[in-house]
Amino acid sequence: MSNFKVFVGIDISKESFSACAIHSPEEIIFEEKFPMDSHGFKAFIRKLSTFPKESILIGKESSGCYYVNLFVYLSQKNFNCVVLNPLIVKGVQSMEIRKTKTDRSDARRIAFALYTAQHSLPQKSFLSHEFRELARERERLSQQIARLKNDIEKALVVLFPELERRVNIYTEGILRLLEKYPSAWALKTAKTSDIEQILYSKRGRALSVTAQQIKQWAQDSIAQFFPIREILLQSKIKELFFLEEQLEVITEQLKRSCEEAALCQDIELLKSIKGIGDTTAMHFIAEIENINRFSSPKKLIAYCGVDPTVYESGKFK
């Protein structure tokens, strides 16, 4: 990233954004404020139009979400956009004697940080940042689903313990059945034909249990009548279906993003490691960004936070 001649720092708020363009810390090209709308976007591009696009590097500090539309717009116009680690900007700030903080001064500090760190910035860091957000959203959904499944299992220990112990309750047929009849008590009055219709109306994993068996377990169950718990279980099952659908959407988008960013070869390389699949590989790439940022395996391990550390006190180690 050493061919850049113009460094543009941007500080963004909900209604406007401030921009500072420099050739160097000693040579400021312009400092200006623009409205956060299509007129402001176009006016900003006109300001930059006197310079070749390949010579311009535009950056902002990693915070908030107001920048997304502007950076997507600029990227579509083939401008080079990066999102800076706040620590880089803070380092520039600490060199100043006056501790002023305004939108204009923040934009200037970001421009100075771009100039200072231009040789060590990862390529495509804006795209990587968005990719990372997508991967983290997938991880958040996965954690929500895990907690929800735990709640469902706890509910069934009370509402239908015999079913929870004997079958995989997370097949679609079983979940649909529990959504309709959320307890052994409810299933006692259900027709066997109705149970069978729900169990086998959807394609999925083959069930190792019959409608007759479930009906018998319900009739012999130790579970008592808890109407409020039944309502809560139905609500959690509906939420589980929704979250699993969202997880599938996010996962597919991650895969498409990998294809668009030509990361398929990297993913296949990571998958050659035993125990690594598509999901782990995509999350790894999202968090690591450019592997060339790390000059040694030890630095990568330290960045991931999985290196062992020594704790020593007196005779204890």
Side-chain angles (χ1 to χ4, degrees):
M1 305 186 79
S2 58
N3 296 324
F4 296 116
K5 305 297 181 185
V6 179
F7 304 90
V8 186
I10 294 179
D11 185 75
I12 301 179
S13 64
K14 186 176 181 180
E15 303 293 337
S16 63
F17 64 97
S18 295
C20 174
I22 67 172
H23 282 308
S24 69
E26 296 79 28
E27 188 179 352
I28 295 177
I29 303 169
F30 70 82
E31 290 181 296
E32 195 167 328
K33 196 169 189 175
F34 302 88
M36 185 62 79
D37 55 30
S38 59
H39 298 294
F41 287 11
K42 291 174 183 176
F44 177 55
I45 285 183
R46 284 197 296 272
K47 270 285 186 180
L48 299 174
S49 61
T50 55
F51 306 100
K53 288 183 180 179
E54 62 272 13
S55 70
I56 302 171
L57 179 61
I58 302 170
K60 74 162 295 290
E61 189 176 3
S62 177
S63 62
C65 61
Y66 298 131
Y67 75 95
V68 172
N69 284 325
L70 174 60
F71 266 37
V72 169
Y73 178 83
L74 292 171
S75 295
Q76 289 173 343
K77 300 292 183 183
N78 296 319
F79 284 94
N80 297 287
C81 299
V82 297
V83 179
L84 291 175
N85 187 317
L87 292 175
I88 297 176
V89 181
K90 186 177 180 180
V92 174
Q93 180 178 346
S94 65
M95 294 188 295
E96 295 186 351
I97 296 176
R98 292 183 177 179
K99 302 302 180 184
T100 57
K101 189 184 187 316
T102 63
D103 293 345
R104 181 175 173 176
S105 65
D106 285 344
R108 189 185 308 159
R109 290 185 189 113
I110 293 168
F112 290 175
L114 285 173
Y115 176 85
T116 303
Q118 59 179 297
H119 298 287
S120 59
L121 293 175
Q123 294 182 359
K124 298 181 181 178
S125 63
F126 170 60
L127 294 176
S128 296
H129 180 78
E130 296 302 308
F131 184 68
R132 188 191 307 128
E133 285 187 358
L134 199 62
R136 289 180 179 177
E137 175 64 14
R138 189 194 179 283
E139 179 66 18
R140 186 185 68 81
L141 285 172
S142 297
Q143 291 172 356
Q144 277 187 280
I145 288 172
R147 287 193 294 268
L148 198 57
K149 285 184 174 181
N150 190 44
D151 290 343
I152 290 172
E153 288 172 21
K154 288 179 179 178
L156 278 177
V157 166
V158 175
L159 293 171
F160 197 170
E162 294 79 9
L163 183 71
E164 192 273 333
R165 289 196 297 261
R166 292 170 176 170
V167 303
N168 176 11
I169 62 174
Y170 297 115
T171 59
E172 186 171 0
I174 294 294
L175 286 173
R176 292 293 180 193
L177 181 66
L178 290 170
E179 187 181 18
K180 178 74 173 177
Y181 304 103
S183 69
W185 195 270
L187 278 161
K188 285 180 182 180
T189 58
K191 294 180 180 179
T192 304
S193 58
D194 291 340
I195 297 174
E196 193 169 58
Q197 185 177 0
I198 295 172
L199 285 177
Y200 300 104
S201 62
K202 300 288 184 180
R203 292 182 178 179
R205 298 177 185 174
L207 295 176
S208 59
V209 62
T210 65
Q212 291 82 1
Q213 284 176 305
I214 292 177
K215 178 74 174 178
Q216 188 62 53
W217 294 341
Q219 290 173 341
D220 297 337
S221 178
I222 61 172
Q224 302 303 306
F225 182 49
F226 299 103
I228 300 302
R229 290 176 186 260
E230 289 184 10
I231 292 171
L232 292 175
L233 176 59
Q234 288 172 314
S235 175
K236 289 181 185 298
I237 290 172
K238 286 182 172 66
E239 186 179 356
L240 177 62
F241 282 135
F242 172 76
L243 290 178
E244 287 184 333
E245 183 180 334
Q246 294 304 304
L247 183 68
E248 187 176 343
V249 170
I250 295 292
T251 302
E252 287 302 313
Q253 183 57 55
L254 267 175
K255 291 178 180 177
R256 285 198 296 272
S257 297
C258 288
E259 292 171 359
E260 291 168 3
L263 295 173
C264 293
Q265 186 175 359
D266 292 342
I267 288 176
E268 290 303 316
L269 183 62
L270 286 169
K271 285 168 62 179
S272 68
I273 302 172
K274 187 176 180 180
I276 302 295
D278 284 322
T279 301
T280 304
M282 288 189 294
H283 280 262
F284 179 84
I285 290 173
E287 294 295 336
I288 297 305
E289 298 180 10
N290 185 357
I291 195 70
N292 294 321
R293 292 193 299 149
F294 305 94
S295 59
S296 71
K298 288 184 179 180
K299 290 183 178 180
L300 175 59
I301 291 170
Y303 178 82
C304 294
V306 294
D307 55 330
T309 57
V310 176
Y311 179 76
E312 192 172 26
S313 178
K315 294 182 179 180
F316 172 80
K317 186 173 181 179

